[in-house]
Amino acid sequence: MSVSEFFDWKINLDDELYAVIDEKARKMVLMGDFIELTAVLWLDRNDVLQLKPTWDCVISIDDATKQITIRSAESLNMKEEC
C-alpha cells in the first residue's frame, strides 16, 4: 500500500492505484491501471470530505484517525470482506 496526504486526511492506496492532487481545486483523482478512474475526493465549501467512487473499488473510512483506505475490488475476495 502507498500513502498520500489529502489536506488533513491520510489516504492509503492499493499499489496499483495512484493519486493526482489539485490543491487549488481541493480535489484528488485516483487512477488505476490503464488510466482507469477509480474515485474522486474533494473538500466542499464547508470543509466536509466528499467521495465519488466508481463501481470497482472498496473504500474504508476511519473518521477517528482521518484515514481512508481504497482498494481495487478485483484484488479482494469479497466473501472475506463481508
Side-chain angles (χ1 to χ4, degrees), residues 3-21:
V3 178
S4 292
E5 294 288 328
F6 184 64
F7 295 90
D8 56 348
W9 285 84
K10 181 177 176 182
I11 312 296
N12 304 304
L13 301 172
D14 258 352
D15 289 332
E16 69 269 3
L17 300 176
Y18 63 93
V20 177
I21 299 172

Side-chain angles (χ1 to χ4, degrees), residues 15-46:
D15 289 332
E16 69 269 3
L17 300 176
Y18 63 93
V20 177
I21 299 172
D22 181 340
E23 289 189 25
K24 186 175 181 179
R26 298 172 18 135
K27 291 185 179 183
M28 171 188 274
V29 175
L30 301 175
M31 307 292 285
D33 294 334
F34 306 108
I35 311 175
E36 178 183 36
L37 181 65
T38 300
V40 178
L41 291 83
W42 70 95
L43 291 173
D44 68 12
R45 293 181 187 151
N46 297 316

